[in-house]
PDB file of all heavy atoms in Angstrom:
ATOM      1  N   LYS A   1      89.959 112.440 214.043  1.00  0.00           N
ATOM      2  CA  LYS A   1      89.195 113.680 214.093  1.00  0.00           C
ATOM      3  C   LYS A   1      90.117 114.888 213.956  1.00  0.00           C
ATOM      4  O   LYS A   1      89.821 115.847 213.227  1.00  0.00           O
ATOM      5  CB  LYS A   1      88.415 113.743 215.405  1.00  0.00           C
ATOM      6  CG  LYS A   1      87.546 114.981 215.562  1.00  0.00           C
ATOM      7  CD  LYS A   1      86.816 114.944 216.896  1.00  0.00           C
ATOM      8  CE  LYS A   1      86.013 116.209 217.147  1.00  0.00           C
ATOM      9  NZ  LYS A   1      85.368 116.185 218.480  1.00  0.00           N
ATOM     10  N   ASP A   2      91.243 114.827 214.622  1.00  0.00           N
ATOM     11  CA  ASP A   2      92.227 115.903 214.512  1.00  0.00           C
ATOM     12  C   ASP A   2      92.809 115.964 213.100  1.00  0.00           C
ATOM     13  O   ASP A   2      93.101 117.043 212.583  1.00  0.00           O
ATOM     14  CB  ASP A   2      93.342 115.695 215.542  1.00  0.00           C
ATOM     15  CG  ASP A   2      94.310 116.859 215.603  1.00  0.00           C
ATOM     16  OD1 ASP A   2      93.872 118.017 215.500  1.00  0.00           O
ATOM     17  OD2 ASP A   2      95.535 116.599 215.747  1.00  0.00           O
ATOM     18  N   ALA A   3      92.958 114.806 212.460  1.00  0.00           N
ATOM     19  CA  ALA A   3      93.439 114.773 211.080  1.00  0.00           C
ATOM     20  C   ALA A   3      92.464 115.493 210.157  1.00  0.00           C
ATOM     21  O   ALA A   3      92.872 116.276 209.286  1.00  0.00           O
ATOM     22  CB  ALA A   3      93.639 113.329 210.626  1.00  0.00           C
ATOM     23  N   ALA A   4      91.164 115.233 210.332  1.00  0.00           N
ATOM     24  CA  ALA A   4      90.155 115.916 209.523  1.00  0.00           C
ATOM     25  C   ALA A   4      90.210 117.419 209.756  1.00  0.00           C
ATOM     26  O   ALA A   4      90.123 118.218 208.813  1.00  0.00           O
ATOM     27  CB  ALA A   4      88.770 115.373 209.853  1.00  0.00           C
ATOM     28  N   PHE A   5      90.374 117.811 211.002  1.00  0.00           N
ATOM     29  CA  PHE A   5      90.446 119.236 211.338  1.00  0.00           C
ATOM     30  C   PHE A   5      91.653 119.903 210.677  1.00  0.00           C
ATOM     31  O   PHE A   5      91.542 120.951 210.039  1.00  0.00           O
ATOM     32  CB  PHE A   5      90.512 119.401 212.854  1.00  0.00           C
ATOM     33  CG  PHE A   5      90.772 120.813 213.298  1.00  0.00           C
ATOM     34  CD1 PHE A   5      89.770 121.766 213.243  1.00  0.00           C
ATOM     35  CD2 PHE A   5      92.026 121.196 213.755  1.00  0.00           C
ATOM     36  CE1 PHE A   5      90.009 123.079 213.635  1.00  0.00           C
ATOM     37  CE2 PHE A   5      92.274 122.493 214.159  1.00  0.00           C
ATOM     38  CZ  PHE A   5      91.264 123.440 214.090  1.00  0.00           C
ATOM     39  N   ARG A   6      92.807 119.257 210.792  1.00  0.00           N
ATOM     40  CA  ARG A   6      94.038 119.869 210.261  1.00  0.00           C
ATOM     41  C   ARG A   6      94.017 119.952 208.738  1.00  0.00           C
ATOM     42  O   ARG A   6      94.478 120.940 208.154  1.00  0.00           O
ATOM     43  CB  ARG A   6      95.254 119.090 210.744  1.00  0.00           C
ATOM     44  CG  ARG A   6      95.515 119.248 212.247  1.00  0.00           C
ATOM     45  CD  ARG A   6      96.792 118.524 212.640  1.00  0.00           C
ATOM     46  NE  ARG A   6      97.048 118.612 214.055  1.00  0.00           N
ATOM     47  CZ  ARG A   6      98.227 118.986 214.585  1.00  0.00           C
ATOM     48  NH1 ARG A   6      99.222 119.314 213.778  1.00  0.00           N
ATOM     49  NH2 ARG A   6      98.400 119.018 215.879  1.00  0.00           N
ATOM     50  N   ALA A   7      93.501 118.925 208.093  1.00  0.00           N
ATOM     51  CA  ALA A   7      93.422 118.959 206.633  1.00  0.00           C
ATOM     52  C   ALA A   7      92.440 120.037 206.169  1.00  0.00           C
ATOM     53  O   ALA A   7      92.707 120.752 205.195  1.00  0.00           O
ATOM     54  CB  ALA A   7      93.006 117.598 206.096  1.00  0.00           C
ATOM     55  N   ALA A   8      91.306 120.158 206.872  1.00  0.00           N
ATOM     56  CA  ALA A   8      90.317 121.170 206.507  1.00  0.00           C
ATOM     57  C   ALA A   8      90.882 122.572 206.705  1.00  0.00           C
ATOM     58  O   ALA A   8      90.709 123.449 205.848  1.00  0.00           O
ATOM     59  CB  ALA A   8      89.047 120.982 207.337  1.00  0.00           C
ATOM     60  N   VAL A   9      91.558 122.789 207.800  1.00  0.00           N
ATOM     61  CA  VAL A   9      92.161 124.098 208.063  1.00  0.00           C
ATOM     62  C   VAL A   9      93.220 124.422 207.020  1.00  0.00           C
ATOM     63  O   VAL A   9      93.349 125.561 206.562  1.00  0.00           O
ATOM     64  CB  VAL A   9      92.755 124.136 209.487  1.00  0.00           C
ATOM     65  CG1 VAL A   9      93.634 125.366 209.681  1.00  0.00           C
ATOM     66  CG2 VAL A   9      91.638 124.120 210.523  1.00  0.00           C
ATOM     67  N   ALA A  10      93.977 123.414 206.618  1.00  0.00           N
ATOM     68  CA  ALA A  10      95.018 123.636 205.612  1.00  0.00           C
ATOM     69  C   ALA A  10      94.431 123.924 204.242  1.00  0.00           C
ATOM     70  O   ALA A  10      95.100 124.527 203.398  1.00  0.00           O
ATOM     71  CB  ALA A  10      95.939 122.424 205.542  1.00  0.00           C
ATOM     72  N   GLY A  11      93.199 123.479 204.008  1.00  0.00           N
ATOM     73  CA  GLY A  11      92.557 123.782 202.737  1.00  0.00           C
ATOM     74  C   GLY A  11      92.399 122.609 201.799  1.00  0.00           C
ATOM     75  O   GLY A  11      92.268 122.801 200.586  1.00  0.00           O
ATOM     76  N   VAL A  12      92.398 121.380 202.317  1.00  0.00           N
ATOM     77  CA  VAL A  12      92.142 120.205 201.486  1.00  0.00           C
ATOM     78  C   VAL A  12      90.635 120.083 201.289  1.00  0.00           C
ATOM     79  O   VAL A  12      89.892 119.885 202.250  1.00  0.00           O
ATOM     80  CB  VAL A  12      92.711 118.925 202.129  1.00  0.00           C
ATOM     81  CG1 VAL A  12      92.327 117.698 201.306  1.00  0.00           C
ATOM     82  CG2 VAL A  12      94.227 119.017 202.260  1.00  0.00           C
ATOM     83  N   ASN A  13      90.178 120.186 200.059  1.00  0.00           N
ATOM     84  CA  ASN A  13      88.738 120.155 199.783  1.00  0.00           C
ATOM     85  C   ASN A  13      88.168 118.747 199.740  1.00  0.00           C
ATOM     86  O   ASN A  13      87.034 118.519 200.178  1.00  0.00           O
ATOM     87  CB  ASN A  13      88.448 120.830 198.446  1.00  0.00           C
ATOM     88  CG  ASN A  13      88.932 122.259 198.388  1.00  0.00           C
ATOM     89  OD1 ASN A  13      90.097 122.504 198.120  1.00  0.00           O
ATOM     90  ND2 ASN A  13      88.056 123.211 198.662  1.00  0.00           N
ATOM     91  N   MET A  14      88.935 117.811 199.202  1.00  0.00           N
ATOM     92  CA  MET A  14      88.401 116.464 199.013  1.00  0.00           C
ATOM     93  C   MET A  14      89.343 115.431 199.616  1.00  0.00           C
ATOM     94  O   MET A  14      90.552 115.463 199.379  1.00  0.00           O
ATOM     95  CB  MET A  14      88.173 116.161 197.534  1.00  0.00           C
ATOM     96  CG  MET A  14      87.480 114.828 197.269  1.00  0.00           C
ATOM     97  SD  MET A  14      87.132 114.562 195.509  1.00  0.00           S
ATOM     98  CE  MET A  14      85.754 115.693 195.273  1.00  0.00           C
ATOM     99  N   ASP A  15      88.772 114.534 200.391  1.00  0.00           N
ATOM    100  CA  ASP A  15      89.507 113.455 201.053  1.00  0.00           C
ATOM    101  C   ASP A  15      89.452 112.220 200.168  1.00  0.00           C
ATOM    102  O   ASP A  15      88.400 111.610 200.003  1.00  0.00           O
ATOM    103  CB  ASP A  15      88.852 113.197 202.419  1.00  0.00           C
ATOM    104  CG  ASP A  15      89.362 111.952 203.123  1.00  0.00           C
ATOM    105  OD1 ASP A  15      90.396 111.392 202.699  1.00  0.00           O
ATOM    106  OD2 ASP A  15      88.720 111.544 204.118  1.00  0.00           O
ATOM    107  N   MET A  16      90.602 111.845 199.605  1.00  0.00           N
ATOM    108  CA  MET A  16      90.653 110.692 198.732  1.00  0.00           C
ATOM    109  C   MET A  16      90.825 109.408 199.535  1.00  0.00           C
ATOM    110  O   MET A  16      91.887 109.131 200.076  1.00  0.00           O
ATOM    111  CB  MET A  16      91.809 110.797 197.721  1.00  0.00           C
ATOM    112  CG  MET A  16      91.838 109.632 196.718  1.00  0.00           C
ATOM    113  SD  MET A  16      93.406 109.422 195.831  1.00  0.00           S
ATOM    114  CE  MET A  16      93.443 110.867 194.816  1.00  0.00           C
ATOM    115  N   GLY A  17      89.740 108.654 199.637  1.00  0.00           N
ATOM    116  CA  GLY A  17      89.836 107.270 200.056  1.00  0.00           C
ATOM    117  C   GLY A  17      89.826 106.957 201.527  1.00  0.00           C
ATOM    118  O   GLY A  17      89.513 105.827 201.905  1.00  0.00           O
ATOM    119  N   SER A  18      90.154 107.908 202.395  1.00  0.00           N
ATOM    120  CA  SER A  18      90.304 107.540 203.810  1.00  0.00           C
ATOM    121  C   SER A  18      88.999 107.606 204.587  1.00  0.00           C
ATOM    122  O   SER A  18      88.884 107.015 205.666  1.00  0.00           O
ATOM    123  CB  SER A  18      91.343 108.437 204.489  1.00  0.00           C
ATOM    124  OG  SER A  18      90.820 109.703 204.829  1.00  0.00           O
ATOM    125  N   GLY A  19      87.997 108.337 204.084  1.00  0.00           N
ATOM    126  CA  GLY A  19      86.725 108.474 204.793  1.00  0.00           C
ATOM    127  C   GLY A  19      86.816 109.304 206.056  1.00  0.00           C
ATOM    128  O   GLY A  19      85.862 109.349 206.841  1.00  0.00           O
ATOM    129  N   THR A  20      87.925 109.997 206.251  1.00  0.00           N
ATOM    130  CA  THR A  20      88.129 110.754 207.485  1.00  0.00           C
ATOM    131  C   THR A  20      87.198 111.946 207.584  1.00  0.00           C
ATOM    132  O   THR A  20      86.679 112.253 208.666  1.00  0.00           O
ATOM    133  CB  THR A  20      89.603 111.199 207.577  1.00  0.00           C
ATOM    134  OG1 THR A  20      90.447 110.054 207.424  1.00  0.00           O
ATOM    135  CG2 THR A  20      89.895 111.855 208.906  1.00  0.00           C
ATOM    136  N   TYR A  21      86.986 112.646 206.477  1.00  0.00           N
ATOM    137  CA  TYR A  21      86.034 113.753 206.493  1.00  0.00           C
ATOM    138  C   TYR A  21      84.621 113.240 206.760  1.00  0.00           C
ATOM    139  O   TYR A  21      83.869 113.820 207.559  1.00  0.00           O
ATOM    140  CB  TYR A  21      86.052 114.482 205.144  1.00  0.00           C
ATOM    141  CG  TYR A  21      87.118 115.539 204.990  1.00  0.00           C
ATOM    142  CD1 TYR A  21      87.263 116.224 203.786  1.00  0.00           C
ATOM    143  CD2 TYR A  21      87.983 115.873 206.029  1.00  0.00           C
ATOM    144  CE1 TYR A  21      88.232 117.197 203.616  1.00  0.00           C
ATOM    145  CE2 TYR A  21      88.956 116.839 205.870  1.00  0.00           C
ATOM    146  CZ  TYR A  21      89.074 117.504 204.664  1.00  0.00           C
ATOM    147  OH  TYR A  21      90.030 118.476 204.495  1.00  0.00           O
ATOM    148  N   LEU A  22      84.229 112.167 206.084  1.00  0.00           N
ATOM    149  CA  LEU A  22      82.872 111.647 206.206  1.00  0.00           C
ATOM    150  C   LEU A  22      82.548 111.288 207.652  1.00  0.00           C
ATOM    151  O   LEU A  22      81.433 111.511 208.133  1.00  0.00           O
ATOM    152  CB  LEU A  22      82.695 110.423 205.298  1.00  0.00           C
ATOM    153  CG  LEU A  22      81.279 109.889 205.146  1.00  0.00           C
ATOM    154  CD1 LEU A  22      80.396 110.898 204.426  1.00  0.00           C
ATOM    155  CD2 LEU A  22      81.288 108.564 204.380  1.00  0.00           C
ATOM    156  N   LYS A  23      83.524 110.765 208.357  1.00  0.00           N
ATOM    157  CA  LYS A  23      83.299 110.297 209.724  1.00  0.00           C
ATOM    158  C   LYS A  23      83.428 111.399 210.774  1.00  0.00           C
ATOM    159  O   LYS A  23      82.907 111.247 211.886  1.00  0.00           O
ATOM    160  CB  LYS A  23      84.287 109.179 210.050  1.00  0.00           C
ATOM    161  CG  LYS A  23      84.112 107.927 209.197  1.00  0.00           C
ATOM    162  CD  LYS A  23      85.239 106.931 209.442  1.00  0.00           C
ATOM    163  CE  LYS A  23      85.131 105.730 208.507  1.00  0.00           C
ATOM    164  NZ  LYS A  23      86.300 104.805 208.651  1.00  0.00           N
ATOM    165  N   ASN A  24      84.114 112.494 210.451  1.00  0.00           N
ATOM    166  CA  ASN A  24      84.469 113.439 211.511  1.00  0.00           C
ATOM    167  C   ASN A  24      84.091 114.888 211.251  1.00  0.00           C
ATOM    168  O   ASN A  24      84.005 115.666 212.199  1.00  0.00           O
ATOM    169  CB  ASN A  24      85.987 113.388 211.757  1.00  0.00           C
ATOM    170  CG  ASN A  24      86.446 112.043 212.268  1.00  0.00           C
ATOM    171  OD1 ASN A  24      86.289 111.714 213.438  1.00  0.00           O
ATOM    172  ND2 ASN A  24      87.031 111.240 211.373  1.00  0.00           N
ATOM    173  N   LEU A  25      83.880 115.276 210.002  1.00  0.00           N
ATOM    174  CA  LEU A  25      83.757 116.694 209.717  1.00  0.00           C
ATOM    175  C   LEU A  25      82.452 117.290 210.239  1.00  0.00           C
ATOM    176  O   LEU A  25      82.434 118.433 210.728  1.00  0.00           O
ATOM    177  CB  LEU A  25      83.880 116.928 208.208  1.00  0.00           C
ATOM    178  CG  LEU A  25      84.333 118.325 207.764  1.00  0.00           C
ATOM    179  CD1 LEU A  25      85.574 118.774 208.513  1.00  0.00           C
ATOM    180  CD2 LEU A  25      84.586 118.334 206.265  1.00  0.00           C
ATOM    181  N   LYS A  26      81.365 116.527 210.176  1.00  0.00           N
ATOM    182  CA  LYS A  26      80.098 117.070 210.685  1.00  0.00           C
ATOM    183  C   LYS A  26      80.206 117.395 212.171  1.00  0.00           C
ATOM    184  O   LYS A  26      79.722 118.450 212.622  1.00  0.00           O
ATOM    185  CB  LYS A  26      78.964 116.076 210.443  1.00  0.00           C
ATOM    186  CG  LYS A  26      77.610 116.603 210.920  1.00  0.00           C
ATOM    187  CD  LYS A  26      76.490 115.606 210.636  1.00  0.00           C
ATOM    188  CE  LYS A  26      75.155 116.170 211.123  1.00  0.00           C
ATOM    189  NZ  LYS A  26      74.032 115.238 210.842  1.00  0.00           N
ATOM    190  N   GLN A  27      80.846 116.504 212.923  1.00  0.00           N
ATOM    191  CA  GLN A  27      80.996 116.758 214.351  1.00  0.00           C
ATOM    192  C   GLN A  27      81.855 118.000 214.595  1.00  0.00           C
ATOM    193  O   GLN A  27      81.568 118.795 215.504  1.00  0.00           O
ATOM    194  CB  GLN A  27      81.629 115.553 215.048  1.00  0.00           C
ATOM    195  CG  GLN A  27      81.718 115.698 216.565  1.00  0.00           C
ATOM    196  CD  GLN A  27      82.294 114.461 217.235  1.00  0.00           C
ATOM    197  OE1 GLN A  27      82.538 113.444 216.593  1.00  0.00           O
ATOM    198  NE2 GLN A  27      82.520 114.559 218.548  1.00  0.00           N
ATOM    199  N   LEU A  28      82.875 118.196 213.768  1.00  0.00           N
ATOM    200  CA  LEU A  28      83.718 119.382 213.908  1.00  0.00           C
ATOM    201  C   LEU A  28      82.920 120.651 213.636  1.00  0.00           C
ATOM    202  O   LEU A  28      83.134 121.683 214.293  1.00  0.00           O
ATOM    203  CB  LEU A  28      84.912 119.288 212.955  1.00  0.00           C
ATOM    204  CG  LEU A  28      85.979 118.250 213.306  1.00  0.00           C
ATOM    205  CD1 LEU A  28      86.940 118.045 212.140  1.00  0.00           C
ATOM    206  CD2 LEU A  28      86.761 118.686 214.554  1.00  0.00           C
ATOM    207  N   VAL A  29      81.988 120.573 212.689  1.00  0.00           N
ATOM    208  CA  VAL A  29      81.122 121.716 212.407  1.00  0.00           C
ATOM    209  C   VAL A  29      80.161 121.945 213.568  1.00  0.00           C
ATOM    210  O   VAL A  29      79.953 123.082 214.017  1.00  0.00           O
ATOM    211  CB  VAL A  29      80.359 121.505 211.082  1.00  0.00           C
ATOM    212  CG1 VAL A  29      79.316 122.609 210.881  1.00  0.00           C
ATOM    213  CG2 VAL A  29      81.320 121.459 209.908  1.00  0.00           C
ATOM    214  N   THR A  30      79.572 120.870 214.084  1.00  0.00           N
ATOM    215  CA  THR A  30      78.636 120.965 215.206  1.00  0.00           C
ATOM    216  C   THR A  30      79.311 121.594 216.422  1.00  0.00           C
ATOM    217  O   THR A  30      78.717 122.407 217.147  1.00  0.00           O
ATOM    218  CB  THR A  30      78.099 119.572 215.575  1.00  0.00           C
ATOM    219  OG1 THR A  30      77.426 119.024 214.434  1.00  0.00           O
ATOM    220  CG2 THR A  30      77.139 119.650 216.752  1.00  0.00           C
TER     221      THR A  30
END
């Protein structure tokens, strides 16, 4: 979850292959 947060803050738009955004980003938005 922290990985998704740090990548999003840094400005990575698309997560290639790890599914980290898919699993964690909605909760970070909530």
Side-chain angles (χ1 to χ4, degrees):
K1 181 180 176 183
D2 187 39
F5 172 75
R6 290 184 182 230
V9 168
V12 175
N13 302 83
M14 186 176 286
D15 170 13
M16 184 197 292
S18 79
T20 307
Y21 275 177
L22 189 66
K23 296 172 185 175
N24 296 282
L25 204 49
K26 182 179 180 179
Q27 185 177 354
L28 289 168
V29 172
T30 300

